[in-house]
Amino acid sequence: MAEKPMSPFGELAPSTPASLSDVKKNIYGRYLEEFNVGDIYVHPRQFTVDRSFAQEFATVFMDANPLYLSAEYAKAHGFADLLVHPLMVFNLALSIGVQNNSEKALANLGYYNAQFLLPVYPGDTLSSRTKILAVDDKGPDKPGIVSVRTLCLNQKNEVVLQYERKIMIYQSNGKPKGNPKPGDASAFFPESKTPVLKLPNLKFPTEMKDVTWGHTYFENFKPGQIYVHQNGRTITDEHYQWTFRVGNTHPLHYDKLYSAGISGPMGGEPVVYGGLVFGWLAGMASRDISENAIWELGFTEGYHTQPAFSGDTVTCISRILTTEDKGTEYGIPAGEVQIQFIGLKNIKANDALEKFGADLFLKENDKKKLGKEKIPEKIFEIERRLIIKKQP
């Protein structure tokens, strides 16, 4: 133990003249020309997810799946403890990397090939690191696109999540640059082209079947079904605090002075961080879709098609794409369900389906070549794949 006698210290500022010759203005984030293909960034900071943090996320984001709410339920199904919500894991992994990857970004263009590979439990410590896959430089007057792959690791250096995303970033064009830590192509980066899901031997405790309702088992889902989720969620200035809670450092999400200096649809007021929007949408859908899910396998081809702001009310719709019976491959009778998931703002899901019909399920990026107008109320689209247990 270190011991040192303590005594009061005197005030120095009034007698110390202020000099403006050595002013520090640290700048964070990278411009387009600062990314190099093959570089690996080991992101600063780690997060230990304690039980209260995990349960707070699951409840604030309105998830109905007891695996994220009840330790007894999760243990009875074969897990070691309450599960940390997969979108909490995703948000932490992405946010930890913002300082290196996207703090200078104009927009996040999409999520790709996200795969949740290991359970995360309360008490686990998460970190993340990123590899630069490609840099598409379109010239000094146009934003380029940086493609990255990010790994989220636990305290044992096991990969719990692997995903890719594309980020739109301008060149510096004379703006002051920071001094980010250089990437290291030789850094530990245990990526895999064929990652393996590792789950415990799962069980189905039939005595707990009343903890969930009976309409979200695998047998209830059929390809072609459209679930119009009835409740909306009005986002308030709470999104500032949740941006901090998951560690996202991009000022676009919490700095009104920064946001006021941006022109176009992203300017004016701070934009709600998209990972939080995804979390609220998924939570609202959970009573209809994922209450009896035993694992979120991942998602792919996801886009935020419009920004959301404080005061917006978000709603959502799910379309069942495929169902695949997996027998007892996961230890209990279960199947995989792939879902197209649509997020909307400031319109009821019922009204959106009536107004836009099947056009809701067309990708917004494909609308132009199809001769169709984009839907301004549509803010998000992604495909999810869940493992859902069968009825007892």
Side-chain angles (χ1 to χ4, degrees):
M1 177 185 293
E3 295 186 7
K4 177 184 177 181
M6 297 296 289
S7 59
F9 57 90
E11 187 180 26
L12 298 178
S15 61
T16 304
S19 171
L20 303 183
S21 62
D22 190 13
V23 176
K24 305 295 185 185
K25 298 180 181 180
N26 290 333
I27 298 172
Y28 298 96
R30 285 178 164 84
Y31 289 104
L32 187 71
E33 68 268 25
E34 297 178 276
F35 292 91
N36 299 298
V37 174
D39 274 357
I40 295 170
Y41 304 137
V42 180
H43 303 308
R45 288 176 288 281
Q46 299 178 336
F47 279 74
T48 298
V49 184
D50 63 24
R51 186 174 302 276
S52 63
F53 191 12
Q55 289 187 300
E56 184 185 14
F57 185 96
T59 53
V60 166
F61 288 85
M62 306 171 67
D63 207 285
N65 190 322
L67 290 176
Y68 315 128
L69 303 168
S70 165
E72 293 307 309
Y73 181 91
K75 290 176 183 177
H77 280 73
F79 293 101
D81 199 348
L82 181 86
L83 285 178
V84 176
H85 197 293
L87 282 176
M88 184 177 191
V89 175
F90 175 73
N91 272 291
L92 288 170
L94 190 154
S95 296
I96 291 170
V98 165
Q99 181 171 304
N100 272 320
N101 298 339
S102 57
E103 197 159 322
K104 295 296 184 190
L106 177 66
N108 176 51
L109 294 181
Y111 313 122
Y112 307 85
N113 304 322
Q115 296 163 313
F116 295 95
L117 303 174
L118 275 176
V120 176
Y121 299 113
D124 283 349
T125 297
L126 301 180
S127 61
S128 71
R129 50 190 64 200
T130 293
K131 176 188 277 188
I132 307 305
L133 302 179
V135 180
D136 183 5
D137 188 341
K138 300 178 184 297
D141 298 327
K142 296 181 179 180
I145 298 173
V146 179
S147 300
V148 307
R149 178 177 296 126
T150 294
L151 305 181
C152 182
L153 307 177
N154 64 17
Q155 67 275 14
K156 300 176 184 177
N157 275 338
E158 299 168 321
V159 179
V160 301
L161 165 64
Q162 177 174 303
Y163 72 92
E164 298 169 11
R165 69 178 180 131
K166 292 183 179 180
I167 310 163
M168 181 182 288
I169 306 176
Y170 273 106
Q171 293 185 20
S172 60
N173 291 327
K175 295 185 180 72
K177 296 181 184 179
N179 186 29
K181 183 180 177 180
D184 179 2
S186 65
F188 177 66
F189 196 78
E191 64 184 325
S192 174
K193 293 183 179 178
T194 55
V196 176
L197 168 63
K198 296 179 181 179
L199 293 178
N201 292 322
L202 296 178
K203 307 169 187 176
F204 192 159
T206 54
E207 69 275 13
M208 285 192 166
K209 63 182 178 62
D210 291 333
V211 176
T212 61
W213 279 28
H215 62 287
T216 56
Y217 289 107
F218 175 75
E219 295 93 332
N220 295 111
F221 298 106
K222 307 296 179 187
Q225 291 172 333
I226 294 174
Y227 284 79
V228 181
H229 308 300
Q230 294 301 299
N231 290 346
R233 175 62 151 83
T234 300
I235 300 172
T236 70
D237 285 351
E238 67 194 301
H239 77 89
Y240 296 134
Q241 286 76 23
W242 274 101
T243 298
F244 304 149
R245 288 286 274 145
V246 298
N248 192 315
T249 57
H250 199 311
L252 179 67
H253 305 308
Y254 56 82
D255 182 342
K256 289 190 175 185
L257 295 177
Y258 180 94
S259 300
I262 297 175
S263 59
M266 304 294 280
E269 289 291 319
V271 174
V272 181
Y273 161 45
L276 303 181
V277 175
F278 188 4
W280 274 307
L281 293 170
M284 286 188 296
S286 63
R287 290 191 298 179
D288 295 332
I289 297 294
S290 58
E291 189 177 36
N292 277 302
I294 53 175
W295 193 253
E296 178 111 24
L297 284 164
F299 42 85
T300 188
E301 292 291 330
Y303 308 94
H304 296 282
T305 56
Q306 298 286 345
F309 299 92
S310 181
D312 284 344
T313 297
V314 295
T315 58
C316 53
I317 294 175
S318 296
R319 180 167 69 113
I320 308 303
L321 300 174
T322 63
T323 60
E324 186 176 350
D325 193 325
K326 289 295 181 178
T328 57
E329 182 177 326
Y330 296 109
I332 60 175
E336 295 180 10
V337 180
Q338 189 151 329
I339 301 159
Q340 184 182 15
F341 191 44
I342 304 297
L344 304 152
K345 71 174 183 179
N346 301 329
I347 187 172
K348 292 181 178 180
N350 290 318
D351 295 342
L353 187 63
E354 183 176 333
K355 181 176 180 180
F356 301 112
D359 284 359
L360 274 176
F361 305 103
L362 298 175
K363 282 188 175 182
E364 294 301 285
N365 288 344
D366 293 341
K367 293 282 180 69
K368 186 175 181 180
K369 66 184 180 184
L370 295 172
K372 294 180 176 290
E373 296 292 325
K374 291 187 176 183
I375 298 174
E377 294 92 339
K378 185 177 173 183
I379 60 171
F380 188 61
E381 55 189 11
I382 206 164
E383 289 190 24
R384 308 169 63 190
R385 194 168 179 92
L386 303 173
I387 304 172
I388 300 178
K389 63 189 180 185
K390 292 183 179 180
Q391 286 181 300

